Amino acid sequence: FILTQPHSVSGSPGKTVTISCTGSSGNIATNYVQWYQQRPGSAPTTVVFGDYQRPSGVPDRFSGSIDRASNSASLTISGLKTEDEADYYCQSADGSTWVFGGGTKLTVL
Amino acid sequence: QVQLVESGGGLVKSGGSLRLSCSASGFTFRDHYMTWIRQAPGRGLEWISYISGSGTFKNVADSVKGRFTVSRNNAKTSLYLQMNNLRAEDTAIYHCARVASGEADVGADLWGQGIMVTVSS
């Protein structure tokens, strides 16, 4: 089971970007999808877990969704800020093992 | 303060062993699955292992099966990763993370800063 993310996306401050995460097989909706942010030189932090839940302190500019038709999950970031520039990883499960996507580099132009 | 702090990393020769520790504070440790995730230099995230709140249920990635063992001590609010027969490809930053609930599948919601493990050949 592989999770495929675009290598990079970009957006301007104040705009909205969406990062996709597509499952190679099965039904991505069967297991929860998480999204992790990793700024340069820092540890990852969680921006979305359980498909759409946000840890306390994560602004509602970050939202997660699932699209069963395309077997994919998405992270949407609205009102882009320069501080959102980071690598983003999706993660789900394949049976009892965790699987990460390859990561997407978000550039805020 | 809710936090996770890893320790025990360092430089080790190929074939050697290390034991990583993760000290948790600020939350009810026994209520959460815990997990180890690593990141090799310049690479993405790789899941290594998780363990249930009671320590009863464990799982490890195929890449480390038979070499790495996860454990926990709820009285000490600590998580451990025993790493044996280390290889150069195990060189990475190792993060402990809290799983968001008492089940394994909701992902992590709290991360430690990570600890570097370097395996020299």
Side-chain angles (χ1 to χ4, degrees), chain A residues 32-35 46 48-53 66, chain B residues 100 105-108:
Chain A
Y32 290 115
V33 176
Q34 284 63 240
W35 291 92
T46 302
V48 169
F49 69 94
D51 290 342
Y52 58 86
Q53 299 182 72
I66 304 294
Chain B
D105 61 350
V106 283

Side-chain angles (χ1 to χ4, degrees), chain A residues 30-34 36 38 41-46 48-50 53 55 87 89 91 93 95-102, chain B residues 35 37 39 43-47 50 59-62 95 97-100 103-114:
Chain A
T30 299
N31 295 290
Y32 290 115
V33 176
Q34 284 63 240
Y36 306 112
Q38 188 175 32
S42 297
T45 61
T46 302
V48 169
F49 69 94
Q53 299 182 72
D87 293 327
Y89 295 90
Q91 177 261 315
S96 59
T97 63
W98 285 21
V99 178
F100 282 93
Chain B
T35 185
I37 293 160
Q39 187 171 33
R43 305 293 295 275
L45 301 174
E46 180 188 11
W47 171 75
Y50 62 61
N59 198 13
V60 293
D62 287 344
H95 298 275
R98 181 182 74 178
V99 178
E103 301 298 327
D105 61 350
V106 283
D109 69 343
L110 177 69
W111 295 68
Q113 282 300 305

Side-chain angles (χ1 to χ4, degrees), chain A residues 63-108:
Chain A
S63 62
S65 62
I66 304 294
D67 182 351
R68 288 177 167 76
S70 61
N71 200 38
S72 66
S74 294
L75 174 69
T76 298
I77 309 171
S78 59
L80 271 176
K81 299 183 177 183
T82 55
E83 67 204 48
D84 298 332
E85 189 161 287
D87 293 327
Y88 291 84
Y89 295 90
C90 63
Q91 177 261 315
S92 188
D94 178 19
S96 59
T97 63
W98 285 21
V99 178
F100 282 93
T104 298
K105 181 176 181 59
L106 168 63
T107 302
V108 181

Side-chain angles (χ1 to χ4, degrees), chain A residues 46 49 53 55-56 98, chain B residues 2-4 22 24-36 49-58 70-75 77-80 96-111:
Chain A
T46 302
F49 69 94
Q53 299 182 72
S56 61
W98 285 21
Chain B
V2 179
Q3 65 177 4
L4 300 168
C22 171
S25 59
F27 63 95
T28 306
F29 183 69
R30 65 179 179 272
D31 286 350
H32 292 266
Y33 268 75
M34 297 294 293
T35 185
W36 287 99
S49 183
Y50 62 61
I51 184 169
S52 65
S54 65
T56 303
F57 301 104
K58 307 177 184 181
V70 64
S71 62
R72 65 191 294 160
N73 184 325
N74 286 344
T77 64
S78 292
L79 174 73
Y80 306 102
C96 67
R98 181 182 74 178
V99 178
S101 77
E103 301 298 327
D105 61 350
V106 283
D109 69 343
L110 177 69
W111 295 68

